[in-house]
Amino acid sequence: MVARPARLLAAEVDGETVIMDVDDGVYLALDATGTEIFKLLETPCRVSDLVDRLSERYSGTRAEIQADVLVFLKDLQLQNIVTVQ
């Protein structure tokens, strides 16, 4: 399961999301695709379910989308923006 912690502050500005982790002082800006993924993570879900939802919306093979999502989630996890269980 992947989820975003409740401690994050987030605001959408011009189609992008700005995230602030008040505990760690981490600041991050997400583009439109990152914003969509971040919104989908409002409810914890399995990575496979996330990939399925994105595969319905974006062109590319499921394998390509999964690879991109995994890289993105790993980056967010390293910054404590998401938790993966």
Side-chain angles (χ1 to χ4, degrees):
M1 297 294 285
V2 62
R4 59 187 214 197
R7 72 177 185 283
L8 300 177
L9 300 176
E12 192 169 334
V13 179
D14 296 327
E16 297 184 345
T17 297
V18 178
I19 302 167
M20 176 74 172
D21 182 336
V22 293
D23 291 344
D24 296 334
V26 173
Y27 164 87
L28 182 66
L30 302 176
D31 64 11
T33 305
T35 293
E36 183 170 0
I37 293 170
F38 190 73
K39 285 179 182 178
L40 289 171
L41 294 176
E42 191 169 350
T43 302
C45 65
R46 295 181 312 170
V47 173
S48 61
D49 293 336
L50 181 61
V51 171
D52 288 343
R53 290 183 197 161
L54 294 169
S55 294
E56 294 171 359
R57 298 176 185 170
Y58 292 95
S59 62
T61 66
R62 189 179 190 291
E64 292 169 332
I65 292 170
Q66 179 174 317
D68 290 345
V69 166
L70 290 174
V71 168
F72 179 70
L73 291 177
K74 183 65 174 176
D75 183 46
L76 293 182
Q77 184 182 22
L78 290 173
Q79 297 181 63
N80 296 317
I81 301 298
V82 299
T83 57
V84 179
Q85 299 175 344

